[in-house]
Amino acid sequence: MKKLESKIAFITGASSGIGKACAFSLAEQGANLIISARRINLIEQMKEEIQSKFNVKVFTLKLDVKNKKEVNELINSLPEEWKSIDILVNNAGLAKGMNKIYEDDIDNWEDMIDTNIKGLLYVTRTVVSGMVERKSGHVINIGSTAGHEAYPKGHVYCATKHAVNAITKSLRMDVVDKNIRVSTVDPGAVETNFSNVRFFGDKEKAKNVYKGITPLVAEDVAEAVTFCATRPPHANIAEIILMPTQQASALVFHREE
Ligand code: NDP
Ligand code: 8X3
């Protein structure tokens, strides 16, 4: 029997990168999936592939985590067989821009705060209340090394990931008596679509982030998430921080010429 057989895992931001890799990795362990993102066409394509490859059930949800009303209504109106979410992977997130704070575009800040903090909170509020009723569940947040250390021009993105770190710790205390596990998986540099989004499609700038290093890939992070999800019920992995071998902190990289 696979470790996550008959469990339901709900992943936000499952259309790309780490969220997508988590979908495949959790399905490989037998979990049935609710995969959500704004780009429904991408998750619809994944649905077919995951169902046929792993023989699990997949439910797709077009969901913008920034939309409080949508989060509440869509999650609360899931079909009966999908309501009892066992594992929530709060992955949806983004960085927008990398400029000095006094020169930056405030709209980018709103986007990051609304997605990475408020969006994660809306989803958590809705899903965890069901977990509390059932006295069972596991929340796995995708934080970042940016949640542990700030770096120049990273102000608001780093602040959002520091917030995720605080929310994770506080939530763990709030549900300690409810048989709910709370984990955070905090990666350093992972080559996904993240830097393309951060630099508004400027491929050159995005590529430079990983120049001279072998970055993590989304599957490295997904393995850590699946490790958390597959521990025996009495064990909670509170935090995993993972970085490329050539990264030692948010700022220290060994880049080869
Ligand atoms: P990608 O850009 O590849 O994926 C981001 C995902 O988030 C997409 O599926 C996107 O889906 C989704 N998303 C963004 N905004 C929203 C929204 N408002 N509502 C729902 N979904 C949304 O980047 P990554 O996979 O790298 O990023 C995933 C997470 O990992 C983020 O939280 C990021 O901060 C974190 N992280 C990334 C690191 C890296 O170096 N790449 C390192 C540390 C942490 P869609 O656009 O279809 O809605
Ligand atoms: C993403 C990693 O270093 O770009 O969270 O902040 S970093």
Side-chain angles (χ1 to χ4, degrees), residues 13 15-16 18 38-39 64-65 91 143 157 161 187-188 190 192-193:
S15 59
S16 168
I18 294 167
R38 293 168 301 180
R39 288 170 296 173
D64 181 344
V65 298
N91 163 78
Y157 178 71
K161 290 298 180 177
V190 192
T192 60
N193 204 36

Side-chain angles (χ1 to χ4, degrees), residues 5 8-9 29 35 43 54 67 83 86 92 96 126 144 153 166 230 238 253-254:
E5 210 163 293
I8 297 176
Q29 291 300 326
I35 48 176
I43 51 176
F54 302 112
N67 187 329
K83 276 195 194 307
D86 298 290
K96 281 273 195 83
T126 310
S144 170
K153 303 179 182 172
T230 53
F253 288 85
H254 171 61

Side-chain angles (χ1 to χ4, degrees), residues 143-146 151 157 187-189 194 198 247:
S144 170
T145 46
Y151 51 82
Y157 178 71
F194 177 84
R198 176 171 235 174
Q247 179 178 8

Side-chain angles (χ1 to χ4, degrees), residues 161-176:
K161 290 298 180 177
H162 274 69
V164 172
N165 190 0
I167 292 164
T168 302
K169 287 176 178 154
S170 200
L171 174 63
R172 193 180 302 121
M173 295 174 206
D174 289 348
V175 297
V176 68

Side-chain angles (χ1 to χ4, degrees), residues 81-154:
E81 62 166 319
W82 288 101
K83 276 195 194 307
S84 299
I85 296 164
D86 298 290
I87 302 160
L88 165 63
V89 183
N90 270 320
N91 163 78
L94 78 182
K96 281 273 195 83
M98 215 178 166
N99 301 297
K100 293 202 178 200
I101 204 162
Y102 53 84
E103 292 168 344
D104 208 1
D105 181 343
I106 290 175
D107 286 344
N108 295 334
W109 303 353
E110 313 277 14
D111 207 0
M112 289 186 275
I113 291 167
D114 288 352
T115 310
N116 302 359
I117 306 179
K118 291 167 72 179
L120 177 140
L121 284 169
Y122 300 153
V123 175
T124 303
R125 173 71 179 83
T126 310
V127 174
V128 170
S129 62
M131 290 178 171
V132 167
E133 275 172 30
R134 295 186 296 277
K135 283 230 165 154
S136 170
H138 192 169
V139 179
I140 305 174
N141 289 335
I142 305 300
S144 170
T145 46
H148 299 268
E149 273 179 279
Y151 51 82
K153 303 179 182 172

Side-chain angles (χ1 to χ4, degrees), residues 173-232:
M173 295 174 206
D174 289 348
V175 297
V176 68
D177 58 341
K178 302 283 186 262
N179 189 36
I180 295 172
R181 298 187 282 182
V182 182
S183 308
T184 185
V185 174
D186 299 353
V190 192
E191 192 163 10
T192 60
N193 204 36
F194 177 84
S195 295
N196 283 318
V197 171
R198 176 171 235 174
F199 298 115
F200 307 99
D202 185 331
K203 289 199 164 47
E204 195 64 29
K205 274 192 182 168
K207 208 83 207 130
N208 267 332
V209 173
Y210 314 104
K211 197 173 171 193
I213 63 161
T214 304
L216 295 175
V217 292
E219 287 72 18
D220 294 319
V221 185
E223 267 187 43
V225 168
T226 301
F227 177 78
C228 294
T230 53
R231 291 314 85 207

